Amino acid sequence: MTPERHPAEQASAAQPLDPETVLAALTLEEKAALLCGHDDWFTAAIDRPGVPRIPAIEVGDGPHGLRKETGVDMVWVPATGFPTASALGATWDRALVRRVAQAIGREARAEGVQVVLGPGVNMKRSPLCGRNFEYFAEDPMLAGELGAAYVDGIQSEGVGASLKHFAANNQETERTRVSVETDERTLREIYFPAFERVVSRAAPWTVMCSYNRVGGVHASQNRWLLTDVLRLDWGYQGVVVSDWDATHDRVAALKAGLDLEMPGTGGRTEREIVEAVASGELDESVVDAAARRVLHLVSIVSDAADDEHCLDGPVMRRGHEPGAGLSSEQLALLGAEEHHALAREAAACCLTLLRNETRPGTHGGEEAVPVLPLDERSGANIVVVGAYAEYPRIQGGGSSGVDPTQVDAPLDAIRAVAGDRVRYTPGYVHRPLNAYQDDLPALFDAHDVVFEDDKTGQARRTAALVEPLRRAAALRRALTATVSAKAQRLIDEAESIAVDADVIVAFAGLPLVFEQEADDRESLALPADQIALLGRLAEVRERTGALLVVVLSNGSPVTMDPWHDRVDAILESWLPGQAGGLAIADALFGRINPSGKLAESFPLRLTDTPGQPNWTGERGTVRYGEGVFIGYRWYDALGRAVRYPFGHGMSYTTFRYSDLDTTVLDPAAGRVRVACRVTNVGPRAGSEVVQLYVGDPDAEVRRPPRELRGFEKVWLDAGQSIAVEFVLESRDFAYWDSAIDGGAAHGAWRREGGEFRIEVGASSRDIRLATTVTLPDDPVLPALRPDSALG
Ligand code: BGC
């Protein structure tokens, strides 16, 4: 069955569309219609005699793969599921992220979607944010660089990106209401720069505003955010779209700079716009400016569309039954095979080797050598423990969930390498409904969790999300607190099998209910049964001498007490997408050399984390009291120990850093060249991420000890050496000085004269080379105010 053609699709992109000509021909009502979505996924089409036909634009979710609705609510057309953004963040690889986004763009064209809703470049203020798996990093430069690469990749395919969620959307609790209260310096230095970088480098066709308020005003109607900062300061020219249902007052939002409201409201908000113009409350020129931008978007997506790639896309034109797979012809049109291979390559680049202890006698020899990689030919008995090996966690929950074209289980991939030497035992309960959704009722049942109101049949859905979220929170609490009798039996069974192992590969991580949109975690711990399982396996290791390797599947940090020191190796696989299983097996057996580096700090405990005292706020307000100190900026400023620092990630080879050289190219412009040499002094080829940090130890204001200002990922054969070069600009040394009168802004960028510390390292806490440079004061001066003292 082919779903009926959507009414909004009926006008097709036949001829190129000139926004100015079209605008002049439209009535006020038509212009207003263009500014309010037709429904969930389509903008309005206009098709009447005398006006060039304006096709609808179809948008689809991303950003980890295409999520196009089939026409049946919450049923999606299959597409390739790539690693999620937090996994891609760990690659520090602009070129790879660009290629992934290009593939998503190609799939969007094949399925007939013109704008993909992503990437998300929000900062990870707290590791508890349930949506952190959708964001790249705790550092704005890294998130901005990868976000720009993503936008560039997708738009190179003629498909628009939607940079989201602008701005300060750093928690999901009360996300549609909460007001973020912070100073402008914090916004300018931490929460804005990733957006600013993507806007200025990659010009996304759309920017999506966030749900929350900033300084009391919803982002969707915050003129300072959408016009003063985004358009006037950064020069953004594209369309600003609302997050779904984030528009509270359509007219106020339009005046603030919000062009397109999504989804549609069945004509209600169009009428509000028309009435506001009629009453004189709204100037028609504001409607025109927004409509012009939407028409421009229509014109560029239509220009990109050709016969094979117009609204429906070639895959959809072959027909698709909602909920069914794609035919082999459709998979070929999608590029599924090639994209699965890319998903595998990307997942491999995300893998982050956190720990790799040496043990004498490992792999048969006398010498103490690192436990990983395992030797494919050693003949060792391998016991794989953990249900995620069989049903992998590939992505997080919510609007980014993709219906994958296929899923490779790590267990199959390990068996493909090591054959019948591999035994498997689930170790804990994990019953996915399908590859991307936990089966909540089954999970409840499996964990013996029963609710009072469920028993009496009193449970009622008060609002669409309230009840599922309440159940999810209750389930998380239960999973974190108790080990059920059923789980205990699985642990006993795992022990009885693991005692015969030479190598135990234990899969652990977070169930989907711990990482989903509209929801935050309460704890950083793994579920209690997994902690108990790892403890039991550690006992086996101590008794039998088996090697114990832990593979983690989680989109954001977890704590590792009490098992961390009792395991030999930890491989962080993140939420690695549909081909993650193959990549994990490749890394375990050394077919690839892991090169991921943490894009976010792994704390020792929750109470160490930034913003924790006022996390999620109270009475509708959350104060970012920690200011610019989030992530490693926080841990470094306090000299606080972490489990694994920002930038950390091991390799099967070793890199040496040398020959640091700095040259001030232009003192007034603050342009500084930093060069160094990196040599692969280990036994095999691998990639290293060279990280450049800058600090201003004697600043007038409190500044983080170091901030990432450059990074390069380099591939080196064994013995190979390479020169790496960075050029720093004035802004890399500057802070946002609130004492300067910046007009609409409270402040301006200021580079304070003096000595700056330049550090190059393999992580934020593994600085290999350091020096200082001296620069003059930047001549940004406060503007004269009536009360300025002259002379
Ligand atoms: C999410 C967006 C998403 C949109 C459409 C919203 O709830 O916050 O990220 O793109 O829904 O699904």
Side-chain angles (χ1 to χ4, degrees):
M1 183 193 98
T2 310
E4 263 180 42
R5 198 169 164 77
H6 193 282
E9 283 183 90
Q10 276 154 15
S12 76
Q15 325 97 9
L17 181 145
D18 171 39
E20 281 312 323
T21 322
V22 178
L23 187 68
L26 293 180
T27 63
L28 174 61
E29 286 71 12
E30 287 166 336
K31 288 184 281 193
L34 283 180
L35 307 184
C36 306
H38 174 83
D39 61 12
D40 272 355
W41 307 111
F42 288 85
T43 63
I46 293 175
D47 193 5
R48 80 162 154 90
V51 180
R53 287 196 299 174
I54 304 171
I57 299 173
E58 181 175 357
V59 304
D61 259 310
H64 315 131
L66 182 67
R67 186 191 222 223
K68 175 191 167 93
E69 212 179 44
T70 52
V72 173
D73 209 22
M74 302 297 280
V75 180
W76 320 101
V77 182
T80 308
F82 289 96
T84 80
S86 69
L88 287 174
T91 67
W92 298 57
D93 190 334
R94 301 168 180 93
L96 177 88
V97 170
R98 189 179 188 284
R99 283 169 59 214
V100 166
Q102 251 182 318
I104 295 170
R106 263 180 247 129
E107 294 197 7
R109 291 185 64 148
E111 293 192 2
V113 167
Q114 287 86 43
V115 175
V116 172
L117 304 174
V121 296
N122 294 86
M123 290 294 95
K124 304 179 194 222
R125 174 173 179 249
S126 163
L128 293 177
C129 174
R131 229 177 163 179
N132 277 357
F133 73 89
E134 281 191 63
Y135 301 137
F136 290 113
E138 69 185 20
D139 178 88
M141 187 222 175
L142 179 53
E145 285 290 296
L146 299 183
Y150 186 107
V151 170
D152 191 43
I154 205 158
Q155 293 189 170
S156 71
E157 290 296 319
V159 172
S162 196
L163 182 68
K164 66 191 189 182
H165 307 89
F166 186 61
N169 180 192
N170 311 106
Q171 67 184 51
E172 293 294 288
T173 306
E174 296 284 314
R175 67 173 176 171
T176 58
R177 283 185 286 260
V178 74
S179 178
V180 171
E181 304 294 330
T182 188
D183 55 288
E184 187 162 337
R185 178 180 166 209
T186 300
L187 291 172
R188 295 278 182 172
E189 290 188 24
I190 300 295
Y191 295 98
F192 284 176
F195 289 95
E196 183 183 3
R197 192 174 284 262
V198 180
V199 164
S200 56
R201 297 269 171 87
W205 295 357
T206 75
V207 167
M208 187 192 293
C209 77
S210 58
Y211 281 121
N212 52 286
R213 300 172 203 247
V214 177
V217 184
H218 272 111
S220 60
Q221 48 203 66
N222 193 318
R223 189 183 156 82
W224 177 69
L225 269 186
L226 303 187
T227 297
D228 296 345
V229 173
L230 182 62
R231 291 204 191 280
L232 302 178
D233 283 5
W234 303 344
Y236 182 60
Q237 313 234 323
V239 168
V240 176
V241 58
S242 70
D243 200 343
W244 268 227
D245 295 314
T247 315
H248 301 269
D249 176 335
R250 185 64 191 99
V251 173
L254 193 53
K255 286 183 182 168
L258 184 112
D259 302 312
L260 175 63
E261 174 186 23
M262 287 299 286
T265 57
R268 176 178 56 81
T269 44
E270 292 161 45
R271 286 193 294 278
E272 285 172 13
I273 293 174
V274 172
E275 281 159 20
V277 172
S279 72
E281 187 201 340
L282 179 68
D283 198 305
E284 191 166 347
S285 65
V286 177
V287 178
D288 285 352
R292 188 177 287 118
R293 287 192 283 261
V294 172
L295 285 169
H296 180 67
L297 178 64
V298 174
S299 78
I300 49 182
V301 299
S302 311
D303 280 354
D306 53 38
D307 268 358
E308 263 299 279
H309 298 111
C310 68
L311 286 168
D312 258 350
V315 168
M316 303 316 292
R317 284 204 299 274
R318 267 61 177 188
H320 176 248
E321 174 96 27
L326 297 176
S327 68
S328 49
E329 191 205 359
Q330 286 170 313
L331 288 169
L333 287 166
L334 195 67
E337 197 178 321
E338 185 197 324
H339 293 170
H340 189 69
L342 177 60
R344 176 183 188 169
E345 184 190 338
C349 296
C350 301
L351 294 175
T352 310
L353 184 60
L354 296 177
R355 176 179 170 90
N356 194 12
E357 294 294 285
T358 51
R359 289 258 304 260
T362 302
H363 319 315
E366 284 307 303
E367 215 190 322
V369 291
V371 162
L372 289 180
L374 304 174
D375 182 353
E376 288 185 17
R377 290 150 309 179
S378 74
N381 288 322
I382 299 174
V383 172
V384 174
V385 186
Y388 295 154
E390 192 181 2
Y391 302 111
R393 294 279 306 104
I394 65 166
Q395 58 189 342
S399 61
S400 66
V402 174
D403 188 3
T405 54
Q406 68 181 89
V407 175
D408 291 321
L411 180 59
D412 296 337
I414 292 171
R415 284 202 164 123
V417 179
D420 6 317
R421 289 185 287 122
V422 180
R423 293 183 71 198
Y424 165 70
T425 175
Y428 49 85
V429 180
H430 170 54
R431 270 195 250 152
L433 193 56
N434 56 36
Y436 60 102
Q437 269 180 334
D438 280 341
D439 180 350
L440 264 193
L443 269 178
F444 273 95
D445 171 49
H447 292 277
D448 309 318
V449 182
V450 183
F451 292 112
E452 283 288 299
D453 49 5
D454 289 344
K455 267 194 257 170
T456 55
Q458 295 303 306
R460 293 279 180 276
R461 281 170 67 114
T462 45
L465 271 179
V466 171
E467 180 54 17
L469 290 179
R470 191 188 69 80
R471 287 172 68 88
L475 179 57
R476 280 196 299 275
R477 275 195 298 276
L479 289 173
T480 309
T482 53
V483 182
S484 69
K486 210 171 289 178
Q488 201 61 60
R489 282 198 295 281
L490 288 172
I491 295 171
D492 293 343
E493 192 180 302
E495 179 182 12
S496 68
I497 295 176
V499 287
D500 295 327
D502 300 310
V503 181
I504 304 167
V505 182
F507 284 79
L510 295 176
L512 186 126
V513 283
F514 284 66
E515 298 188 281
Q516 55 179 356
E517 187 178 332
D519 210 3
D520 293 317
R521 281 189 287 173
E522 299 76 17
S523 153
L524 295 180
L526 291 174
D529 56 351
Q530 294 191 31
I531 295 177
L533 173 70
L534 291 175
R536 194 74 74 79
L537 296 175
E539 281 167 21
V540 172
R541 167 186 175 269
E542 280 144 24
R543 263 198 335 263
T544 66
L547 305 177
L548 177 52
V549 176
V550 175
V551 180
L552 289 173
S553 306
N554 39 278
S556 49
V558 293
T559 45
M560 300 184 191
D561 287 324
W563 50 270
H564 176 273
D565 296 350
R566 301 173 67 199
V567 308
D568 294 290
I570 304 174
L571 182 67
E572 176 57 78
S573 77
W574 308 104
L575 298 173
Q578 66 179 45
L582 295 167
I584 290 168
D586 285 344
L588 290 174
F589 293 104
R591 292 179 173 192
I592 61 116
N593 188 353
S595 62
K597 297 268 190 176
L598 295 181
E600 55 199 300
S601 312
F602 271 47
L604 280 168
R605 57 191 80 81
L606 180 59
T607 46
D608 288 344
T609 61
Q612 189 51 30
N614 53 19
W615 167 245
T616 80
E618 57 207 358
R619 298 190 176 155
T621 295
V622 55
R623 284 179 212 290
Y624 287 11
E626 69 289 346
V628 298
F629 298 94
I630 67 161
Y632 66 94
R633 289 165 168 83
W634 166 261
Y635 300 111
D636 286 357
L638 298 181
R640 193 165 280 181
V642 290
R643 177 65 75 192
Y644 290 110
F646 177 78
H648 170 77
M650 300 170 80
S651 166
Y652 296 154
T653 189
T654 311
F655 299 98
R656 195 183 64 217
Y657 287 63
S658 63
D659 304 322
L660 179 62
D661 180 50
T662 54
T663 318
V664 178
L665 300 172
D666 181 341
R671 190 165 304 124
V672 177
R673 176 181 166 275
V674 179
C676 71
R677 178 158 287 281
V678 182
T679 309
N680 181 349
V681 292
R684 55 179 292 169
S687 287
E688 172 68 329
V689 179
V690 183
Q691 301 161 39
L692 170 64
Y693 296 89
V694 173
D696 183 359
D698 301 314
E700 276 175 5
V701 295
R702 288 195 183 85
R703 298 190 67 178
R706 63 182 55 77
E707 298 185 88
L708 185 76
R709 294 297 189 235
F711 64 90
E712 275 317 316
K713 187 161 191 169
V714 292
W715 167 265
L716 293 173
D717 285 326
Q720 197 187 342
S721 182
I722 199 172
V724 179
E725 189 178 308
F726 304 93
V727 176
L728 295 168
E729 304 287 343
S730 195
R731 176 76 181 268
D732 294 318
F733 300 93
Y735 70 92
W736 184 263
D737 187 348
S738 314
I740 298 174
D741 183 349
H746 298 110
W749 293 105
R750 158 135 196 246
R751 192 189 69 227
E752 212 183 310
E755 237 179 38
F756 293 88
R757 198 169 155 77
I758 307 287
E759 299 175 327
V760 176
S763 91
S764 61
R765 294 229 170 144
D766 184 7
I767 300 301
R768 306 287 182 87
L769 309 164
T771 185
T772 56
V773 291
T774 303
L775 292 172
D777 209 11
D778 190 316
V780 177
L781 293 174
L784 288 182
R785 300 177 195 211
D787 58 351
S788 299
L790 293 176

